[in-house]
Amino acid sequence: MYIAIMGYGVVGSGVAQVINKNHDSIVRKSTQSELEIKYILDIRDFPGDPNEKLFVKDFDVILNDPDIKIVVETMGGLHPAYEFVSACLKAGKHVVTSNKELVAEKGCELLGYAAQNNVNFLFEASVGGGIPIIRPISQCLAANEIDEFAGILNGTTNFILTRMINDNMPFEEALRLAQDNGYAERDPSADILGHDACRKVCILASLCFGKHVYPGQVHTEGITEITLEDVEYAKNWGGVIKLLGRAKRSEDGKQISAIVSPAFVDHHSQLAGVDDVFNAILVRGDAIGDVVFYGRGAGKLPTASAVVGDVIDCARHENKQKFFGWADSQDGYVSDYLDATTSLYVRANCNHPSETLSNAQKAFGEIKVLKRPNAPENEIAFVTPVATERELRTKLETVLGLEVITTIRVTDY
Ligand code: HSE
């Protein structure tokens, strides 16, 4: 069986490397007599590359070659990946992708093309890099109703927060270190603003709850406003700050809530000890309870590991379709984040701290007052009880009239 790789960047070259290195065992596990890369599509030249003879620049070479049964898309970005993948599926070729933007925006549509043409569209590498999470949710946990999930889904921001927490390093310095180590892109905005984690939440939520969640429907906040002062207060509260992507279904199952934001995570949580570039996803099912998937969420070979696993699955299921139960959704399926219940950490400036804290106590009920060394006299910090976010924010603004510096959601995973 012949395959083609579209995009010879970090992941695409990793895919070729893994297939060449583990060739014999991959072929055996694929149940085919042979599994061979026939073409690699890239607009760039790679002189001296061991796969030099395989490079093509014209997508139609792959599309029109009936020998090509599986196409690996590792180009990234929405265009032209969407057009190329659509065309391959419609031509009856299996497609494996690591492209989270593509799956988050077009997953439902592309799975539809795959179904119409009796081929597979697989995307294990699109969330959590090398961590098995797509297949566990859609197969191993299929007996469950998934109630919710929460994940550290972005390695770059987790590295930055870890440096802030463990080394007292300011955000800008930690970001520079992430860039120097090759974790963050030169333009790191998709990571630090939370867009990368948002795409992964969309994919997981679509799989867990059965209807497509689009990036525009998910309230997303990054980590650019987090300071070392907030890290200190989180420590005093008894936890750490993590960028979490979360989604939860409503009790009647008709709606879901989904959000990406920094969150206070208790020291005892399994997510609290996930440091550096590692990712972890906690899934809560009605039969299994909590299960946590942990590992390398990015990088050449970990991501290639997931892609090649999908390639082997396509080869094994050459004439059989995998079912994801992923339908399209209507407006209103994802609820307004302000209607979700949460507890909030609040840091604010005020002229009369003890009076303001006593008013906060009256407005919210029981609050937990937080302290940090060397805080200015006019700074207060506290954690509210649980209520809808709308109610909490209304009270902060209209009842207390506080000059709020930061709010961070507090979780109980
Ligand atoms: N930039 C992403 C991260 C890569 O840091 O996690 C994997 O999606």
Side-chain angles (χ1 to χ4, degrees):
M1 182 178 266
Y2 287 104
I3 70 175
I5 298 172
M6 303 195 295
Y8 199 65
V10 174
V11 180
S13 60
V15 169
Q17 190 178 327
V18 170
I19 290 178
N20 291 333
K21 178 174 180 288
N22 297 338
H23 173 265
D24 293 353
S25 77
I26 287 171
V27 170
R28 181 169 42 79
K29 290 170 194 166
S30 75
T31 69
Q32 300 286 330
S33 54
E34 180 54 275
L35 200 67
E36 195 179 322
I37 303 168
K38 186 166 180 183
Y39 305 116
I40 298 173
L41 178 74
D42 205 297
I43 49 172
R44 298 165 292 182
D45 292 316
F46 296 87
D49 188 277
N51 299 301
E52 202 176 355
K53 291 202 181 94
L54 307 180
F55 283 96
V56 292
K57 288 191 164 48
D58 180 3
F59 167 65
D60 286 344
V61 173
I62 293 170
L63 184 66
N64 296 328
D65 186 337
D67 281 353
I68 298 294
K69 301 289 184 208
I70 303 171
V71 178
V72 170
E73 187 275 304
T74 45
M75 299 159 51
L78 206 48
H79 303 288
Y82 165 65
E83 289 76 13
F84 288 3
V85 168
S86 305
C88 288
L89 292 169
K90 288 176 185 172
K93 299 177 192 300
H94 300 281
V95 175
V96 171
T97 186
S98 60
N99 184 339
K100 53 232 158 204
E101 194 174 354
L102 178 70
V103 183
E105 294 282 0
K106 303 286 185 187
C108 183
E109 181 183 335
L110 295 172
L111 282 167
Y113 297 149
Q116 287 155 19
N117 293 283
N118 201 30
V119 288
N120 282 302
F121 174 59
L122 302 185
F123 41 89
E124 182 64 65
S126 65
V127 181
I131 305 172
I133 183 65
I134 303 295
R135 204 169 268 93
I137 287 175
S138 55
Q139 290 179 212
C140 315
L141 300 177
N144 291 261
E145 288 292 342
I146 305 294
D147 294 321
E148 57 188 298
F149 67 83
I152 294 167
L153 298 167
N154 182 270
T156 303
T157 46
N158 203 39
F159 176 84
I160 293 170
L161 289 172
T162 304
R163 295 284 72 78
M164 292 176 76
I165 295 162
N166 292 359
D167 305 334
N168 208 31
M169 192 182 280
F171 171 81
E172 292 298 341
E173 200 180 327
L175 171 59
R176 267 197 307 278
L177 188 61
Q179 284 171 317
D180 291 348
N181 283 339
Y183 303 140
E185 310 284 334
R186 232 170 307 148
D187 174 6
S189 45
D191 291 316
I192 62 177
L193 297 177
H195 302 313
D196 177 75
C198 170
R199 290 168 189 143
K200 294 163 180 171
V201 163
C202 292
I203 298 167
L204 293 179
S206 304
L207 281 175
C208 284
F209 309 118
K211 287 186 185 170
H212 197 128
V213 176
Y214 293 91
Q217 297 174 304
V218 178
H219 178 76
T220 299
E221 297 171 18
I223 63 164
T224 50
E225 307 292 319
I226 303 297
T227 64
L228 291 176
E229 286 79 15
D230 300 315
V231 168
E232 281 287 339
Y233 280 123
K235 194 169 158 194
N236 180 249
W237 171 78
V240 288
I241 299 173
K242 292 287 181 192
L243 183 70
L244 291 190
R246 300 182 274 153
K248 185 174 184 172
R249 94 188 145 97
S250 63
E251 265 175 38
D252 64 10
K254 290 188 178 149
Q255 274 193 311
I256 66 153
S257 59
I259 189 166
V260 173
S261 75
F264 272 27
V265 178
D266 190 282
H267 272 311
H268 295 106
S269 164
Q270 294 192 75
L271 297 177
V274 177
D275 282 342
D276 296 316
V277 287
F278 282 86
N279 284 192
I281 303 132
L282 181 150
V283 180
R284 190 164 284 175
D286 64 351
I288 193 168
D290 287 359
V291 57
V292 179
F293 300 86
Y294 169 87
R296 293 187 186 279
K300 181 174 178 156
L301 294 183
T303 310
S305 154
V307 171
V308 178
D310 276 351
V311 168
I312 293 170
D313 215 3
C314 284
R316 281 182 190 164
H317 298 93
E318 194 182 352
N319 299 308
K320 202 155 194 254
Q321 254 218 299
K322 309 206 75 171
F323 178 71
F324 287 102
W326 176 330
D328 209 354
S329 59
Q330 286 78 43
D331 282 350
Y333 171 59
V334 181
S335 60
D336 188 331
Y337 75 98
L338 291 170
D339 292 329
T341 55
T342 186
S343 145
L344 276 184
Y345 151 81
V346 181
R347 179 158 71 96
N349 284 330
C350 60
N351 292 329
H352 306 288
S354 26
E355 196 184 316
T356 306
L357 285 172
S358 141
N359 288 340
Q361 187 87 20
K362 281 184 211 137
F364 291 111
E366 205 56 39
I367 59 165
K368 182 176 166 58
V369 178
L370 303 179
K371 302 278 177 210
R372 72 176 174 95
N374 308 318
E377 271 181 17
N378 66 340
E379 182 181 272
I380 56 168
F382 61 90
V383 170
T384 72
V386 174
T388 66
E389 189 162 332
R390 191 186 306 282
E391 195 182 326
L392 295 174
R393 293 200 182 278
T394 304
K395 281 184 181 167
L396 283 175
E397 282 163 32
T398 58
V399 181
L400 294 171
L402 269 184
E403 188 196 324
V404 172
I405 308 168
T406 325
T407 56
I408 299 177
R409 296 166 188 87
V410 177
T411 60
D412 59 358
Y413 293 103

